[in-house]
Amino acid sequence: MNCALGFRGVGKVFETRTGSLRALQGIDFALRRGEFLSVLGPSGCGKSSLLALATGLEFPTEGTVEVAGRRVDRPVTDVGIVFQTDVLLDWRTVLGNVMLQIEMRGLDAARYDGRARELLRTVGLAGFEQRRPYELSGGMRQRVSICRALVHDPDILLMDEPFGALDAITREQLVMELHRIWNETRKSVMFVTHDIGEAIFLADRVLVMTPRPGRIEEIVEVDLPRPRTVKTRESARFLALVAHVRTLFVQAGILQVSR
Amino acid sequence: MNAAHEPAGDAMHGAAADAVPARDARGRIARRAVFSRASPLVVIAVILIVWELAVRLFGVPAYLLPPPSAIARRMATDYELLAVNTWITLGEVLAGFALAIVVSIPLAAILAQFRVVENAVYPTLVASQTIPKVAIAPLLVVWFGFGLTPKILIAFLICFFPIVVDTMTGFRCVPREVIWLARSMGASQWKTFMKIRIPAALPNIFAGLKVASTLAVVGAVVGEFIGADRGLGYQLIVANGLMDVQLSFAVLVTLSLLGIALYAAVDLLERVTLPWHVSHRVAAGSPPTQAAS
């Protein structure tokens, strides 16, 4: 039971009007407990499908998906999910949005109130508890949605390109914050992204995917020391890993060396 | 904690930068607000003045088109008559409107939630709307007599469809991700409905209610046209019968005031209920803080 999430021989075929479309093929991997796993690939490689399978929003055509040793056959609830859009409810305050997680689960709100406030404080949103989402910037909104995903203290955190809609600098800020939070909590994280640097910076391992059909090209071990800092991105090892992943995409014909 | 001060710092910086021109800007915004409040009144005043002058200059006889001043005087003298009838019509309007709300919103919820029901029921619902309400009105009188019931029913029939359509749109507009999120929280359909779908649909529900509020007045008056011995619609028929154009206009003005008041009440309720909604943010005087960060 050392694995939080396991995919065994998973394939996914979508039936469309024009015929069947294979989204995933032969997906085999395990998210270890306390591991940060990045899933990296271009659009259309099925990485978001992986996430939908992991949460039990969809089910595989072949193979099995297991969460905490149990086969996924209905929506998984012991997770926190962060989407590309922040999905905040406009009519709730910042604190109310975080507490939605608690209310929807029917947990005792009074018990989690302090934890919600504390989480907001650690992402620099102290004093914003009673604001409404529209008063916040994109980066702040996504911070709130991360707090919402963590407030019930789930074992697994699933993130679907959470920083994809943010500008480059805010993005880097949030990557640093996520790394810090992960370092402190050591959740099992599956982090889907299309950004090579982001994937490597955050992860223990990077699952590199290629499209048509979506499959795992290679699982890259990231042996960078922790905690990682802004300087990490400039280290020789980091750059070597980026170069290696890039080579994988070149070999798969996704990137071209020159025209 | 390093990054902790960044967003707060950002916001503080933004506030400080705004502080200097803020007083100027506030004055400008206040002036603009006063102007935007006053401008519809100015338009109405201009129309009334032109009307008044035109009637006087061209010597239009009062039995064809009375000037606004004469209508106002008539409203003052017949104050009691108008008040009594307004009260009756208002009762019919409110009852029909309330009935429409009570029926439409749950119906829309069921249609939006269960596609099978929608497929089965919605076409019939749309088809039923092609029947003009004015055409059904005499039938309703046959069935329910000359009392309040047919008026309330016509007001209900005329204003329930817009509420259904808008409310359905509202229930449908919840993004896929929000529903996924709710499912990952293990929330029941009922809880998702109460905590997410209903509040998300409120802006659309209010849009439907606004349209319906004006239609409800039309419905009640149509009912009174067909068969009634009281109410503003009845009074209008009587005035027309007597060729008392002044009274007709007095009733018309009263009717439109009634419609405006009902609309304003719904609008006010919306502002109180949905201070977070896009349409009320600027009016509430909060600065747009959608910064880049």
Side-chain angles (χ1 to χ4, degrees), chain B residues 28-42 283:
Chain B
R28 208 166 44 234
I29 289 167
R31 271 196 300 281
R32 207 175 296 161
V34 169
F35 183 75
S36 73
R37 284 275 169 84
S39 58
L41 296 177
V42 172

Side-chain angles (χ1 to χ4, degrees), chain A residues 110-131:
Chain A
R111 254 188 60 211
Y112 284 88
D113 182 80
R115 182 175 160 76
R117 288 172 191 275
E118 172 62 20
L119 274 168
L120 286 169
R121 199 181 59 74
T122 64
V123 298
L125 287 174
F128 285 85
E129 293 86 353
Q130 300 307 323
R131 299 291 191 95

Side-chain angles (χ1 to χ4, degrees), chain A residues 197-211:
Chain A
E198 193 174 282
I200 294 171
F201 182 90
L202 286 165
D204 291 308
R205 289 187 301 159
V206 178
L207 206 146
V208 180
M209 292 190 69
T210 51

Side-chain angles (χ1 to χ4, degrees), chain A residues 185-198:
Chain A
T185 58
R186 295 285 167 156
K187 300 271 175 216
S188 317
V189 183
M190 186 163 139
F191 180 88
V192 172
T193 180
H194 53 239
D195 184 307
I196 300 176
E198 193 174 282

Side-chain angles (χ1 to χ4, degrees), chain B residues 88-105 148-163 209 212-221 262:
Chain B
I88 287 156
T89 305
L90 179 66
E92 297 161 0
V93 169
L94 289 182
F97 190 41
L99 186 62
I101 294 173
V102 171
V103 172
S104 301
I105 295 178
L148 284 180
T149 318
K151 286 91 182 176
I152 293 171
L153 283 178
I154 293 165
F156 158 75
L157 284 175
I158 208 165
C159 73
F160 107 112
F161 195 62
I163 307 180
L209 291 185
S213 68
T214 57
L215 290 177
V217 178
V218 174
V221 170
L262 194 60

